[in-house]
Amino acid sequence: DVSAVPVLLAQLEDKSLGADVAIALLLLGDRRGVDFHAQSLAAGAELKAYPGEVVGRYGGPSYLLLLRSTADGEGLKALGALQGLGYLGDTRGVPSLLMAMSSKSPHKQVVAAGALEMITGHQINPDQPGVHTLWERYWEEHEQHFQTGVRYRDGRVLDLGLLVEKMSDRDPLVRRGAYDEIVISTGENLPFDADGPWRVQSNNVRDWSRWCRENADRFTPGHWWFNGESIG
């Protein structure tokens, strides 16, 4: 209901609701929540959830420089930016993630490792000795397999089919996130009950799979999309 947009905008600065409000606005085709989270990230504002996730997941490549510069800093905003680089999926953020792996902060190392895994699909135990060197070696050997300016998730070029797959994940948070992302990307609002009975979820996923096949030519794999339009 787009008439709810003014009410949602009034709640953006609520620290406990900011991320949920931003996603609700995105689901209604309004990007102002992303802009608010980008400003919060740059200012180091304290929110319930890392603002980098919203910026990276939904903001598009125009926020790459903000995420990289913030990730090179310290504190919670740096952790949020590292997480955002993972969701952004642009390999131009990998140098910042590798740099964070050499940090003395174990928190930065863990978040950076998770972001690298999100982009590449490769797993290295962050507690393993020499983990920074192992990630650098991996990237030296595999960088040529990734294209610059293309969006990746789990080592694959991100497309609608991958999001539909994640709607069948065992983790309900992954299912909900994938559903939000596919609706925000496409502007299509087919139903999906992330917490409902398996049969209902299966029917929902089947309908989404059919829709994605029928509309595949509208959405180039590896691009960033919002409400059915390319944003990068």
Side-chain angles (χ1 to χ4, degrees), residues 144-178:
Q144 69 272 19
H145 301 306
F146 295 84
Q147 298 180 48
T148 301
V150 174
R151 191 178 194 188
Y152 290 91
R153 183 78 56 82
D154 298 339
R156 297 165 53 182
V157 175
L158 181 58
D159 60 9
L160 299 184
L162 179 54
L163 293 177
V164 172
E165 286 181 28
K166 288 184 173 293
M167 287 165 63
S168 297
D169 196 273
R170 291 185 177 183
D171 188 337
L173 291 178
V174 174
R175 295 197 298 268
R176 292 179 201 138

PDB file of all heavy atoms in Angstrom, residues 144-178:
ATOM      1  N   GLN A 144      40.831 -14.394 -12.328  1.00  0.00           N
ATOM      2  CA  GLN A 144      40.543 -14.342 -13.763  1.00  0.00           C
ATOM      3  C   GLN A 144      39.202 -14.974 -14.121  1.00  0.00           C
ATOM      4  O   GLN A 144      38.684 -14.761 -15.226  1.00  0.00           O
ATOM      5  CB  GLN A 144      41.654 -15.039 -14.574  1.00  0.00           C
ATOM      6  CG  GLN A 144      41.728 -16.541 -14.400  1.00  0.00           C
ATOM      7  CD  GLN A 144      42.610 -16.955 -13.228  1.00  0.00           C
ATOM      8  OE1 GLN A 144      42.884 -16.149 -12.342  1.00  0.00           O
ATOM      9  NE2 GLN A 144      43.058 -18.201 -13.230  1.00  0.00           N
ATOM     10  N   HIS A 145      38.624 -15.727 -13.184  1.00  0.00           N
ATOM     11  CA  HIS A 145      37.330 -16.361 -13.452  1.00  0.00           C
ATOM     12  C   HIS A 145      36.149 -15.431 -13.152  1.00  0.00           C
ATOM     13  O   HIS A 145      34.996 -15.792 -13.404  1.00  0.00           O
ATOM     14  CB  HIS A 145      37.182 -17.639 -12.627  1.00  0.00           C
ATOM     15  CG  HIS A 145      38.252 -18.660 -12.896  1.00  0.00           C
ATOM     16  ND1 HIS A 145      38.542 -19.120 -14.162  1.00  0.00           N
ATOM     17  CD2 HIS A 145      39.120 -19.291 -12.060  1.00  0.00           C
ATOM     18  CE1 HIS A 145      39.523 -20.012 -14.096  1.00  0.00           C
ATOM     19  NE2 HIS A 145      39.901 -20.120 -12.838  1.00  0.00           N
ATOM     20  N   PHE A 146      36.432 -14.261 -12.603  1.00  0.00           N
ATOM     21  CA  PHE A 146      35.386 -13.306 -12.240  1.00  0.00           C
ATOM     22  C   PHE A 146      35.520 -12.060 -13.114  1.00  0.00           C
ATOM     23  O   PHE A 146      36.622 -11.554 -13.319  1.00  0.00           O
ATOM     24  CB  PHE A 146      35.496 -12.910 -10.765  1.00  0.00           C
ATOM     25  CG  PHE A 146      35.237 -14.037  -9.809  1.00  0.00           C
ATOM     26  CD1 PHE A 146      36.248 -14.924  -9.453  1.00  0.00           C
ATOM     27  CD2 PHE A 146      33.975 -14.226  -9.262  1.00  0.00           C
ATOM     28  CE1 PHE A 146      36.020 -15.957  -8.572  1.00  0.00           C
ATOM     29  CE2 PHE A 146      33.739 -15.261  -8.374  1.00  0.00           C
ATOM     30  CZ  PHE A 146      34.764 -16.136  -8.027  1.00  0.00           C
ATOM     31  N   GLN A 147      34.389 -11.555 -13.599  1.00  0.00           N
ATOM     32  CA  GLN A 147      34.392 -10.365 -14.436  1.00  0.00           C
ATOM     33  C   GLN A 147      34.156  -9.114 -13.584  1.00  0.00           C
ATOM     34  O   GLN A 147      33.322  -9.120 -12.672  1.00  0.00           O
ATOM     35  CB  GLN A 147      33.284 -10.453 -15.494  1.00  0.00           C
ATOM     36  CG  GLN A 147      33.431 -11.619 -16.454  1.00  0.00           C
ATOM     37  CD  GLN A 147      32.293 -11.636 -17.452  1.00  0.00           C
ATOM     38  OE1 GLN A 147      31.964 -10.620 -18.059  1.00  0.00           O
ATOM     39  NE2 GLN A 147      31.693 -12.799 -17.636  1.00  0.00           N
ATOM     40  N   THR A 148      34.867  -8.064 -13.906  1.00  0.00           N
ATOM     41  CA  THR A 148      34.690  -6.798 -13.205  1.00  0.00           C
ATOM     42  C   THR A 148      33.334  -6.183 -13.564  1.00  0.00           C
ATOM     43  O   THR A 148      32.916  -6.214 -14.720  1.00  0.00           O
ATOM     44  CB  THR A 148      35.810  -5.815 -13.596  1.00  0.00           C
ATOM     45  OG1 THR A 148      37.066  -6.392 -13.255  1.00  0.00           O
ATOM     46  CG2 THR A 148      35.654  -4.493 -12.859  1.00  0.00           C
ATOM     47  N   GLY A 149      32.675  -5.623 -12.554  1.00  0.00           N
ATOM     48  CA  GLY A 149      31.400  -4.959 -12.803  1.00  0.00           C
ATOM     49  C   GLY A 149      30.232  -5.906 -12.972  1.00  0.00           C
ATOM     50  O   GLY A 149      29.171  -5.502 -13.449  1.00  0.00           O
ATOM     51  N   VAL A 150      30.421  -7.167 -12.595  1.00  0.00           N
ATOM     52  CA  VAL A 150      29.342  -8.162 -12.635  1.00  0.00           C
ATOM     53  C   VAL A 150      29.041  -8.578 -11.200  1.00  0.00           C
ATOM     54  O   VAL A 150      29.948  -8.717 -10.377  1.00  0.00           O
ATOM     55  CB  VAL A 150      29.748  -9.396 -13.476  1.00  0.00           C
ATOM     56  CG1 VAL A 150      28.687 -10.490 -13.393  1.00  0.00           C
ATOM     57  CG2 VAL A 150      29.977  -8.989 -14.924  1.00  0.00           C
ATOM     58  N   ARG A 151      27.776  -8.795 -10.911  1.00  0.00           N
ATOM     59  CA  ARG A 151      27.383  -9.120  -9.543  1.00  0.00           C
ATOM     60  C   ARG A 151      27.418 -10.626  -9.308  1.00  0.00           C
ATOM     61  O   ARG A 151      26.829 -11.400 -10.069  1.00  0.00           O
ATOM     62  CB  ARG A 151      25.975  -8.585  -9.260  1.00  0.00           C
ATOM     63  CG  ARG A 151      25.601  -8.640  -7.788  1.00  0.00           C
ATOM     64  CD  ARG A 151      24.234  -8.055  -7.530  1.00  0.00           C
ATOM     65  NE  ARG A 151      24.051  -7.813  -6.114  1.00  0.00           N
ATOM     66  CZ  ARG A 151      22.907  -7.456  -5.543  1.00  0.00           C
ATOM     67  NH1 ARG A 151      21.830  -7.294  -6.310  1.00  0.00           N
ATOM     68  NH2 ARG A 151      22.825  -7.256  -4.253  1.00  0.00           N
ATOM     69  N   TYR A 152      28.102 -11.022  -8.215  1.00  0.00           N
ATOM     70  CA  TYR A 152      28.243 -12.436  -7.878  1.00  0.00           C
ATOM     71  C   TYR A 152      27.644 -12.732  -6.507  1.00  0.00           C
ATOM     72  O   TYR A 152      27.618 -11.882  -5.624  1.00  0.00           O
ATOM     73  CB  TYR A 152      29.727 -12.839  -7.867  1.00  0.00           C
ATOM     74  CG  TYR A 152      30.356 -12.856  -9.237  1.00  0.00           C
ATOM     75  CD1 TYR A 152      30.976 -11.714  -9.751  1.00  0.00           C
ATOM     76  CD2 TYR A 152      30.325 -13.998 -10.025  1.00  0.00           C
ATOM     77  CE1 TYR A 152      31.547 -11.718 -11.014  1.00  0.00           C
ATOM     78  CE2 TYR A 152      30.891 -14.014 -11.288  1.00  0.00           C
ATOM     79  CZ  TYR A 152      31.504 -12.866 -11.782  1.00  0.00           C
ATOM     80  OH  TYR A 152      32.060 -12.885 -13.033  1.00  0.00           O
ATOM     81  N   ARG A 153      27.198 -13.956  -6.371  1.00  0.00           N
ATOM     82  CA  ARG A 153      26.717 -14.461  -5.081  1.00  0.00           C
ATOM     83  C   ARG A 153      27.053 -15.955  -5.021  1.00  0.00           C
ATOM     84  O   ARG A 153      26.701 -16.703  -5.931  1.00  0.00           O
ATOM     85  CB  ARG A 153      25.202 -14.229  -4.955  1.00  0.00           C
ATOM     86  CG  ARG A 153      24.545 -14.641  -3.626  1.00  0.00           C
ATOM     87  CD  ARG A 153      24.802 -13.634  -2.530  1.00  0.00           C
ATOM     88  NE  ARG A 153      24.396 -12.272  -2.844  1.00  0.00           N
ATOM     89  CZ  ARG A 153      23.147 -11.788  -2.727  1.00  0.00           C
ATOM     90  NH1 ARG A 153      22.169 -12.586  -2.337  1.00  0.00           N
ATOM     91  NH2 ARG A 153      22.902 -10.517  -3.019  1.00  0.00           N
ATOM     92  N   ASP A 154      27.762 -16.351  -3.983  1.00  0.00           N
ATOM     93  CA  ASP A 154      28.145 -17.764  -3.804  1.00  0.00           C
ATOM     94  C   ASP A 154      28.976 -18.284  -4.980  1.00  0.00           C
ATOM     95  O   ASP A 154      28.857 -19.455  -5.360  1.00  0.00           O
ATOM     96  CB  ASP A 154      26.910 -18.639  -3.622  1.00  0.00           C
ATOM     97  CG  ASP A 154      26.110 -18.266  -2.389  1.00  0.00           C
ATOM     98  OD1 ASP A 154      26.679 -17.631  -1.474  1.00  0.00           O
ATOM     99  OD2 ASP A 154      24.911 -18.597  -2.337  1.00  0.00           O
ATOM    100  N   GLY A 155      29.780 -17.425  -5.586  1.00  0.00           N
ATOM    101  CA  GLY A 155      30.624 -17.847  -6.687  1.00  0.00           C
ATOM    102  C   GLY A 155      29.924 -17.932  -8.025  1.00  0.00           C
ATOM    103  O   GLY A 155      30.532 -18.343  -9.017  1.00  0.00           O
ATOM    104  N   ARG A 156      28.668 -17.530  -8.080  1.00  0.00           N
ATOM    105  CA  ARG A 156      27.885 -17.582  -9.312  1.00  0.00           C
ATOM    106  C   ARG A 156      27.435 -16.182  -9.702  1.00  0.00           C
ATOM    107  O   ARG A 156      27.253 -15.315  -8.836  1.00  0.00           O
ATOM    108  CB  ARG A 156      26.652 -18.476  -9.136  1.00  0.00           C
ATOM    109  CG  ARG A 156      26.985 -19.930  -8.855  1.00  0.00           C
ATOM    110  CD  ARG A 156      25.791 -20.704  -8.330  1.00  0.00           C
ATOM    111  NE  ARG A 156      24.612 -20.579  -9.186  1.00  0.00           N
ATOM    112  CZ  ARG A 156      23.433 -21.145  -8.905  1.00  0.00           C
ATOM    113  NH1 ARG A 156      23.279 -21.853  -7.794  1.00  0.00           N
ATOM    114  NH2 ARG A 156      22.414 -20.989  -9.730  1.00  0.00           N
ATOM    115  N   VAL A 157      27.280 -15.971 -10.985  1.00  0.00           N
ATOM    116  CA  VAL A 157      26.688 -14.711 -11.435  1.00  0.00           C
ATOM    117  C   VAL A 157      25.264 -14.655 -10.886  1.00  0.00           C
ATOM    118  O   VAL A 157      24.465 -15.576 -11.108  1.00  0.00           O
ATOM    119  CB  VAL A 157      26.683 -14.628 -12.973  1.00  0.00           C
ATOM    120  CG1 VAL A 157      25.947 -13.375 -13.432  1.00  0.00           C
ATOM    121  CG2 VAL A 157      28.114 -14.639 -13.512  1.00  0.00           C
ATOM    122  N   LEU A 158      24.952 -13.596 -10.167  1.00  0.00           N
ATOM    123  CA  LEU A 158      23.646 -13.511  -9.523  1.00  0.00           C
ATOM    124  C   LEU A 158      22.559 -13.250 -10.559  1.00  0.00           C
ATOM    125  O   LEU A 158      22.628 -12.293 -11.329  1.00  0.00           O
ATOM    126  CB  LEU A 158      23.642 -12.394  -8.476  1.00  0.00           C
ATOM    127  CG  LEU A 158      22.336 -12.193  -7.700  1.00  0.00           C
ATOM    128  CD1 LEU A 158      21.939 -13.464  -6.965  1.00  0.00           C
ATOM    129  CD2 LEU A 158      22.471 -11.037  -6.716  1.00  0.00           C
ATOM    130  N   ASP A 159      21.558 -14.114 -10.570  1.00  0.00           N
ATOM    131  CA  ASP A 159      20.397 -13.919 -11.439  1.00  0.00           C
ATOM    132  C   ASP A 159      19.139 -14.296 -10.664  1.00  0.00           C
ATOM    133  O   ASP A 159      19.204 -14.714  -9.498  1.00  0.00           O
ATOM    134  CB  ASP A 159      20.528 -14.719 -12.733  1.00  0.00           C
ATOM    135  CG  ASP A 159      20.643 -16.224 -12.489  1.00  0.00           C
ATOM    136  OD1 ASP A 159      20.457 -16.682 -11.332  1.00  0.00           O
ATOM    137  OD2 ASP A 159      20.910 -16.960 -13.456  1.00  0.00           O
ATOM    138  N   LEU A 160      17.999 -14.145 -11.303  1.00  0.00           N
ATOM    139  CA  LEU A 160      16.742 -14.434 -10.617  1.00  0.00           C
ATOM    140  C   LEU A 160      16.642 -15.900 -10.218  1.00  0.00           C
ATOM    141  O   LEU A 160      16.076 -16.235  -9.178  1.00  0.00           O
ATOM    142  CB  LEU A 160      15.563 -14.053 -11.516  1.00  0.00           C
ATOM    143  CG  LEU A 160      15.462 -12.581 -11.930  1.00  0.00           C
ATOM    144  CD1 LEU A 160      14.194 -12.350 -12.740  1.00  0.00           C
ATOM    145  CD2 LEU A 160      15.499 -11.657 -10.721  1.00  0.00           C
ATOM    146  N   GLY A 161      17.198 -16.775 -11.050  1.00  0.00           N
ATOM    147  CA  GLY A 161      17.134 -18.198 -10.746  1.00  0.00           C
ATOM    148  C   GLY A 161      17.818 -18.540  -9.435  1.00  0.00           C
ATOM    149  O   GLY A 161      17.338 -19.390  -8.673  1.00  0.00           O
ATOM    150  N   LEU A 162      18.937 -17.881  -9.147  1.00  0.00           N
ATOM    151  CA  LEU A 162      19.645 -18.133  -7.894  1.00  0.00           C
ATOM    152  C   LEU A 162      18.812 -17.683  -6.698  1.00  0.00           C
ATOM    153  O   LEU A 162      18.768 -18.362  -5.663  1.00  0.00           O
ATOM    154  CB  LEU A 162      20.996 -17.416  -7.908  1.00  0.00           C
ATOM    155  CG  LEU A 162      21.863 -17.551  -6.659  1.00  0.00           C
ATOM    156  CD1 LEU A 162      22.094 -19.010  -6.300  1.00  0.00           C
ATOM    157  CD2 LEU A 162      23.195 -16.830  -6.857  1.00  0.00           C
ATOM    158  N   LEU A 163      18.135 -16.552  -6.823  1.00  0.00           N
ATOM    159  CA  LEU A 163      17.274 -16.086  -5.737  1.00  0.00           C
ATOM    160  C   LEU A 163      16.115 -17.046  -5.503  1.00  0.00           C
ATOM    161  O   LEU A 163      15.732 -17.318  -4.357  1.00  0.00           O
ATOM    162  CB  LEU A 163      16.751 -14.685  -6.042  1.00  0.00           C
ATOM    163  CG  LEU A 163      17.804 -13.564  -6.061  1.00  0.00           C
ATOM    164  CD1 LEU A 163      17.161 -12.245  -6.458  1.00  0.00           C
ATOM    165  CD2 LEU A 163      18.489 -13.440  -4.700  1.00  0.00           C
ATOM    166  N   VAL A 164      15.550 -17.590  -6.592  1.00  0.00           N
ATOM    167  CA  VAL A 164      14.471 -18.565  -6.445  1.00  0.00           C
ATOM    168  C   VAL A 164      14.985 -19.805  -5.722  1.00  0.00           C
ATOM    169  O   VAL A 164      14.295 -20.374  -4.858  1.00  0.00           O
ATOM    170  CB  VAL A 164      13.881 -18.935  -7.822  1.00  0.00           C
ATOM    171  CG1 VAL A 164      12.898 -20.104  -7.690  1.00  0.00           C
ATOM    172  CG2 VAL A 164      13.168 -17.736  -8.435  1.00  0.00           C
ATOM    173  N   GLU A 165      16.189 -20.242  -6.049  1.00  0.00           N
ATOM    174  CA  GLU A 165      16.779 -21.387  -5.359  1.00  0.00           C
ATOM    175  C   GLU A 165      16.869 -21.122  -3.861  1.00  0.00           C
ATOM    176  O   GLU A 165      16.577 -21.996  -3.038  1.00  0.00           O
ATOM    177  CB  GLU A 165      18.170 -21.682  -5.900  1.00  0.00           C
ATOM    178  CG  GLU A 165      18.203 -22.321  -7.276  1.00  0.00           C
ATOM    179  CD  GLU A 165      19.630 -22.593  -7.732  1.00  0.00           C
ATOM    180  OE1 GLU A 165      20.498 -22.789  -6.850  1.00  0.00           O
ATOM    181  OE2 GLU A 165      19.867 -22.593  -8.952  1.00  0.00           O
ATOM    182  N   LYS A 166      17.288 -19.920  -3.492  1.00  0.00           N
ATOM    183  CA  LYS A 166      17.455 -19.588  -2.086  1.00  0.00           C
ATOM    184  C   LYS A 166      16.110 -19.489  -1.355  1.00  0.00           C
ATOM    185  O   LYS A 166      16.068 -19.561  -0.125  1.00  0.00           O
ATOM    186  CB  LYS A 166      18.240 -18.278  -1.943  1.00  0.00           C
ATOM    187  CG  LYS A 166      19.719 -18.433  -2.290  1.00  0.00           C
ATOM    188  CD  LYS A 166      20.487 -17.163  -2.041  1.00  0.00           C
ATOM    189  CE  LYS A 166      21.970 -17.394  -2.232  1.00  0.00           C
ATOM    190  NZ  LYS A 166      22.537 -18.305  -1.211  1.00  0.00           N
ATOM    191  N   MET A 167      15.025 -19.354  -2.094  1.00  0.00           N
ATOM    192  CA  MET A 167      13.712 -19.352  -1.464  1.00  0.00           C
ATOM    193  C   MET A 167      13.329 -20.738  -0.967  1.00  0.00           C
ATOM    194  O   MET A 167      12.337 -20.901  -0.254  1.00  0.00           O
ATOM    195  CB  MET A 167      12.670 -18.824  -2.448  1.00  0.00           C
ATOM    196  CG  MET A 167      12.777 -17.320  -2.668  1.00  0.00           C
ATOM    197  SD  MET A 167      11.873 -16.715  -4.115  1.00  0.00           S
ATOM    198  CE  MET A 167      10.193 -17.122  -3.665  1.00  0.00           C
ATOM    199  N   SER A 168      14.128 -21.765  -1.315  1.00  0.00           N
ATOM    200  CA  SER A 168      13.903 -23.123  -0.816  1.00  0.00           C
ATOM    201  C   SER A 168      14.951 -23.518   0.220  1.00  0.00           C
ATOM    202  O   SER A 168      15.033 -24.693   0.594  1.00  0.00           O
ATOM    203  CB  SER A 168      13.937 -24.123  -1.980  1.00  0.00           C
ATOM    204  OG  SER A 168      12.895 -23.880  -2.893  1.00  0.00           O
ATOM    205  N   ASP A 169      15.748 -22.568   0.691  1.00  0.00           N
ATOM    206  CA  ASP A 169      16.785 -22.845   1.670  1.00  0.00           C
ATOM    207  C   ASP A 169      16.178 -23.320   2.995  1.00  0.00           C
ATOM    208  O   ASP A 169      15.041 -22.983   3.334  1.00  0.00           O
ATOM    209  CB  ASP A 169      17.629 -21.586   1.903  1.00  0.00           C
ATOM    210  CG  ASP A 169      18.933 -21.867   2.599  1.00  0.00           C
ATOM    211  OD1 ASP A 169      18.949 -21.893   3.852  1.00  0.00           O
ATOM    212  OD2 ASP A 169      19.936 -22.079   1.896  1.00  0.00           O
ATOM    213  N   ARG A 170      16.951 -24.086   3.738  1.00  0.00           N
ATOM    214  CA  ARG A 170      16.470 -24.578   5.038  1.00  0.00           C
ATOM    215  C   ARG A 170      16.334 -23.468   6.067  1.00  0.00           C
ATOM    216  O   ARG A 170      15.527 -23.567   6.993  1.00  0.00           O
ATOM    217  CB  ARG A 170      17.435 -25.646   5.567  1.00  0.00           C
ATOM    218  CG  ARG A 170      17.439 -26.947   4.773  1.00  0.00           C
ATOM    219  CD  ARG A 170      18.334 -27.963   5.441  1.00  0.00           C
ATOM    220  NE  ARG A 170      18.315 -29.245   4.743  1.00  0.00           N
ATOM    221  CZ  ARG A 170      18.970 -30.321   5.142  1.00  0.00           C
ATOM    222  NH1 ARG A 170      19.700 -30.272   6.247  1.00  0.00           N
ATOM    223  NH2 ARG A 170      18.903 -31.441   4.451  1.00  0.00           N
ATOM    224  N   ASP A 171      17.137 -22.423   5.907  1.00  0.00           N
ATOM    225  CA  ASP A 171      17.146 -21.317   6.868  1.00  0.00           C
ATOM    226  C   ASP A 171      16.031 -20.332   6.513  1.00  0.00           C
ATOM    227  O   ASP A 171      16.031 -19.752   5.437  1.00  0.00           O
ATOM    228  CB  ASP A 171      18.498 -20.617   6.820  1.00  0.00           C
ATOM    229  CG  ASP A 171      18.658 -19.571   7.915  1.00  0.00           C
ATOM    230  OD1 ASP A 171      17.645 -19.073   8.434  1.00  0.00           O
ATOM    231  OD2 ASP A 171      19.814 -19.231   8.241  1.00  0.00           O
ATOM    232  N   PRO A 172      15.067 -20.102   7.427  1.00  0.00           N
ATOM    233  CA  PRO A 172      13.973 -19.178   7.108  1.00  0.00           C
ATOM    234  C   PRO A 172      14.444 -17.753   6.841  1.00  0.00           C
ATOM    235  O   PRO A 172      13.834 -17.031   6.066  1.00  0.00           O
ATOM    236  CB  PRO A 172      13.070 -19.244   8.351  1.00  0.00           C
ATOM    237  CG  PRO A 172      13.933 -19.786   9.434  1.00  0.00           C
ATOM    238  CD  PRO A 172      14.914 -20.692   8.765  1.00  0.00           C
ATOM    239  N   LEU A 173      15.553 -17.328   7.480  1.00  0.00           N
ATOM    240  CA  LEU A 173      16.069 -15.989   7.223  1.00  0.00           C
ATOM    241  C   LEU A 173      16.574 -15.870   5.796  1.00  0.00           C
ATOM    242  O   LEU A 173      16.401 -14.827   5.147  1.00  0.00           O
ATOM    243  CB  LEU A 173      17.194 -15.665   8.210  1.00  0.00           C
ATOM    244  CG  LEU A 173      16.775 -15.473   9.664  1.00  0.00           C
ATOM    245  CD1 LEU A 173      18.002 -15.217  10.536  1.00  0.00           C
ATOM    246  CD2 LEU A 173      15.783 -14.330   9.812  1.00  0.00           C
ATOM    247  N   VAL A 174      17.203 -16.920   5.287  1.00  0.00           N
ATOM    248  CA  VAL A 174      17.666 -16.919   3.901  1.00  0.00           C
ATOM    249  C   VAL A 174      16.473 -16.876   2.951  1.00  0.00           C
ATOM    250  O   VAL A 174      16.471 -16.146   1.959  1.00  0.00           O
ATOM    251  CB  VAL A 174      18.543 -18.158   3.612  1.00  0.00           C
ATOM    252  CG1 VAL A 174      18.907 -18.241   2.132  1.00  0.00           C
ATOM    253  CG2 VAL A 174      19.814 -18.105   4.456  1.00  0.00           C
ATOM    254  N   ARG A 175      15.435 -17.653   3.272  1.00  0.00           N
ATOM    255  CA  ARG A 175      14.230 -17.671   2.421  1.00  0.00           C
ATOM    256  C   ARG A 175      13.586 -16.291   2.363  1.00  0.00           C
ATOM    257  O   ARG A 175      13.234 -15.799   1.280  1.00  0.00           O
ATOM    258  CB  ARG A 175      13.222 -18.698   2.954  1.00  0.00           C
ATOM    259  CG  ARG A 175      13.697 -20.140   2.898  1.00  0.00           C
ATOM    260  CD  ARG A 175      12.539 -21.109   3.047  1.00  0.00           C
ATOM    261  NE  ARG A 175      11.835 -20.998   4.311  1.00  0.00           N
ATOM    262  CZ  ARG A 175      12.122 -21.709   5.400  1.00  0.00           C
ATOM    263  NH1 ARG A 175      13.140 -22.563   5.392  1.00  0.00           N
ATOM    264  NH2 ARG A 175      11.408 -21.573   6.507  1.00  0.00           N
ATOM    265  N   ARG A 176      13.439 -15.659   3.525  1.00  0.00           N
ATOM    266  CA  ARG A 176      12.796 -14.338   3.564  1.00  0.00           C
ATOM    267  C   ARG A 176      13.644 -13.306   2.833  1.00  0.00           C
ATOM    268  O   ARG A 176      13.125 -12.462   2.097  1.00  0.00           O
ATOM    269  CB  ARG A 176      12.602 -13.897   5.019  1.00  0.00           C
ATOM    270  CG  ARG A 176      11.592 -14.723   5.784  1.00  0.00           C
ATOM    271  CD  ARG A 176      11.479 -14.242   7.212  1.00  0.00           C
ATOM    272  NE  ARG A 176      10.926 -15.280   8.078  1.00  0.00           N
ATOM    273  CZ  ARG A 176      11.382 -15.547   9.286  1.00  0.00           C
ATOM    274  NH1 ARG A 176      12.385 -14.866   9.786  1.00  0.00           N
ATOM    275  NH2 ARG A 176      10.838 -16.502  10.009  1.00  0.00           N
ATOM    276  N   GLY A 177      14.967 -13.356   3.055  1.00  0.00           N
ATOM    277  CA  GLY A 177      15.842 -12.400   2.393  1.00  0.00           C
ATOM    278  C   GLY A 177      15.801 -12.536   0.884  1.00  0.00           C
ATOM    279  O   GLY A 177      15.785 -11.536   0.157  1.00  0.00           O
ATOM    280  N   ALA A 178      15.783 -13.781   0.402  1.00  0.00           N
ATOM    281  CA  ALA A 178      15.725 -14.014  -1.041  1.00  0.00           C
ATOM    282  C   ALA A 178      14.412 -13.503  -1.623  1.00  0.00           C
ATOM    283  O   ALA A 178      14.386 -12.931  -2.725  1.00  0.00           O
ATOM    284  CB  ALA A 178      15.897 -15.500  -1.333  1.00  0.00           C
TER     285      ALA A 178
END
